[in-house]
Amino acid sequence: MAVILELRCPLCDRRFSPDAVAYTCPSCGEVGTLDVLYDYEQLKAQLDRDALRNRRMQSMWRYRELLPLLPDSSVPPLDVGMTPLYEAKRLAENLGVRQAWVKDDGQNPTGSLKDRASALIVARALEQGISTVSTASTGNAAAALAGLGASVGMNIIIFVPAAAPEAKIAQLLVYGATVLLVEDTYDVAFDLCYQMCVSEGWYCRNTAMNPYTTEGKKTVAYEIAEQLDWQVPDVVLVSVGDGNIIAGVYKGFYDLYQLGWIERIPRLIGVQADGSAALLHAWQRGLSAAEMRPIDAQTVADSISAGLPRDRAKALRAVWETQGAYVGVSDTEIVAAIPQLARLTGVFAEPAASAVYAGARHAVLSNVIESNESVLLLVTGNGLKDVKRAQQSVASGLRVQPTLESVRLALQNM
Ligand SMILES: *Cc1c(COP(=O)(O)O)cnc(C)c1O
Ligand SMILES: [Zn+2]
């Protein structure tokens, strides 16, 4: 059983008992997104890498002792996590690095890494006997919560801005979630969701507000380490919007380092869209999370569009602590990266996820990544999530008559 020692605020360093605080730091407010810390000495005595090796369970629950759940509580039945990790030789050559891997988290049940967070939140709700979980989101987080909720028959309530894309809303409705179309912005929907959760006793999954989303997402770092036999890459690239995923990746490696299972934490490179680069700018200027001000975010990669990243404190720390970097990529590069990554690796990513390929190119060109280093690209979402954008990134097919002659002619004129 994971013994949560305390919740700790990365900004003011205050510590809280997990029973005393459910969401963000009471003194810092929303910017103070809390860390969940364990008694690592006790965990070392309970679990080691050899014990893991013999576990057959191929999902994030193989790391159960390292998750904030009681030993006998039930978890959702969908297989979240233990997604494939591929070595990609042509990608390494193309980037000009020693070795490259892709971790395909688009293979999760609802098509994105967000399933890891939602699976844990749903498990915690089950444990606490809470029957309704709610979140504000326009995209993958909501789909993940709707899908994981459906797998256990839980009541899921989603707040989305009324202007959210139809296709994203469809996935929520298919899973049977109650979808509230708020006639205002995402920020307003976010606050409304939280207020309803407090007044109705629903559990609030809002990204970064709930400290346990990171605890679910951290399992991707555990898998990267285990799948590479505990020899972690020099660099891990992660696309960043609110900063909760990069915070989770950092937390996962941090846990493993505390346990003595890895020798170092990889450098983390956060990739942002140029039109939504609040963290890149803060990092370049040496601003703290508390000093950051909202920007008007605009990018084709909707999953990484964030004017004031919700998990900014932990997202900045992840890069500072690992001597990593933030890089920015243009929308044109993001769209072009969809087929580039797919053709080099066979992995089809949604725009926000393909951005890591564009980011890797930038990082190599600017010597943030050296040619003798090994890099892992974390693919956070499946390309089928945004087929429209994918279509814009490629030429159309060859139209032919059903004759050999017509086919040959078309191939000649390619
Ligand atoms: C949510 C998401 C991201 C960004 O995660 P943040 O925690 O907001 O930084 C990146 N890619 C995909 C596919 C996502 O769904
Ligand atoms: Zn604080």
Side-chain angles (χ1 to χ4, degrees), residues 9 12 25 27-28:
C9 175
C12 69
C25 173
S27 11
C28 298

mmCIF file with all atom_site columns, all heavy atoms in Angstrom, residues 9 12 25 27-28, ligand 2:
data_model
loop_
_atom_site.group_PDB
_atom_site.id
_atom_site.type_symbol
_atom_site.label_atom_id
_atom_site.label_alt_id
_atom_site.label_comp_id
_atom_site.label_asym_id
_atom_site.label_entity_id
_atom_site.label_seq_id
_atom_site.pdbx_PDB_ins_code
_atom_site.Cartn_x
_atom_site.Cartn_y
_atom_site.Cartn_z
_atom_site.occupancy
_atom_site.B_iso_or_equiv
_atom_site.pdbx_formal_charge
_atom_site.auth_seq_id
_atom_site.auth_comp_id
_atom_site.auth_asym_id
_atom_site.auth_atom_id
_atom_site.pdbx_PDB_model_num
ATOM   1  N  N  . CYS A 1 9  ? 3.273  21.762 -1.310 1.00 0.00 ? 9  CYS A N  1
ATOM   2  C  CA . CYS A 1 9  ? 3.129  22.821 -2.310 1.00 0.00 ? 9  CYS A CA 1
ATOM   3  C  C  . CYS A 1 9  ? 4.492  23.169 -2.891 1.00 0.00 ? 9  CYS A C  1
ATOM   4  O  O  . CYS A 1 9  ? 5.414  23.501 -2.147 1.00 0.00 ? 9  CYS A O  1
ATOM   5  C  CB . CYS A 1 9  ? 2.492  24.063 -1.682 1.00 0.00 ? 9  CYS A CB 1
ATOM   6  S  SG . CYS A 1 9  ? 2.419  25.453 -2.831 1.00 0.00 ? 9  CYS A SG 1
ATOM   7  N  N  . CYS A 1 12 ? 5.246  27.294 -1.995 1.00 0.00 ? 12 CYS A N  1
ATOM   8  C  CA . CYS A 1 12 ? 5.543  27.803 -0.644 1.00 0.00 ? 12 CYS A CA 1
ATOM   9  C  C  . CYS A 1 12 ? 6.126  26.717 0.254  1.00 0.00 ? 12 CYS A C  1
ATOM   10 O  O  . CYS A 1 12 ? 6.507  26.982 1.387  1.00 0.00 ? 12 CYS A O  1
ATOM   11 C  CB . CYS A 1 12 ? 4.289  28.386 -0.008 1.00 0.00 ? 12 CYS A CB 1
ATOM   12 S  SG . CYS A 1 12 ? 3.059  27.138 0.404  1.00 0.00 ? 12 CYS A SG 1
ATOM   13 N  N  . CYS A 1 25 ? -3.184 24.227 -2.941 1.00 0.00 ? 25 CYS A N  1
ATOM   14 C  CA . CYS A 1 25 ? -2.620 24.759 -1.685 1.00 0.00 ? 25 CYS A CA 1
ATOM   15 C  C  . CYS A 1 25 ? -3.526 25.845 -1.083 1.00 0.00 ? 25 CYS A C  1
ATOM   16 O  O  . CYS A 1 25 ? -3.830 26.834 -1.749 1.00 0.00 ? 25 CYS A O  1
ATOM   17 C  CB . CYS A 1 25 ? -1.234 25.346 -1.960 1.00 0.00 ? 25 CYS A CB 1
ATOM   18 S  SG . CYS A 1 25 ? -0.519 26.204 -0.537 1.00 0.00 ? 25 CYS A SG 1
ATOM   19 N  N  . SER A 1 27 ? -2.836 28.147 0.954  1.00 0.00 ? 27 SER A N  1
ATOM   20 C  CA . SER A 1 27 ? -2.288 29.514 1.006  1.00 0.00 ? 27 SER A CA 1
ATOM   21 C  C  . SER A 1 27 ? -1.979 30.095 -0.361 1.00 0.00 ? 27 SER A C  1
ATOM   22 O  O  . SER A 1 27 ? -2.129 31.288 -0.551 1.00 0.00 ? 27 SER A O  1
ATOM   23 C  CB . SER A 1 27 ? -1.049 29.645 1.895  1.00 0.00 ? 27 SER A CB 1
ATOM   24 O  OG . SER A 1 27 ? -0.541 28.456 2.284  1.00 0.00 ? 27 SER A OG 1
ATOM   25 N  N  . CYS A 1 28 ? -1.537 29.285 -1.313 1.00 0.00 ? 28 CYS A N  1
ATOM   26 C  CA . CYS A 1 28 ? -1.196 29.838 -2.636 1.00 0.00 ? 28 CYS A CA 1
ATOM   27 C  C  . CYS A 1 28 ? -2.386 29.898 -3.583 1.00 0.00 ? 28 CYS A C  1
ATOM   28 O  O  . CYS A 1 28 ? -2.335 30.581 -4.595 1.00 0.00 ? 28 CYS A O  1
ATOM   29 C  CB . CYS A 1 28 ? -0.084 29.031 -3.285 1.00 0.00 ? 28 CYS A CB 1
ATOM   30 S  SG . CYS A 1 28 ? 1.441  29.051 -2.353 1.00 0.00 ? 28 CYS A SG 1
HETATM 31 ZN ZN . ZN  B 2 .  ? 1.542  27.013 -1.336 1.00 0.00 ? 2  ZN  B ZN 1
#
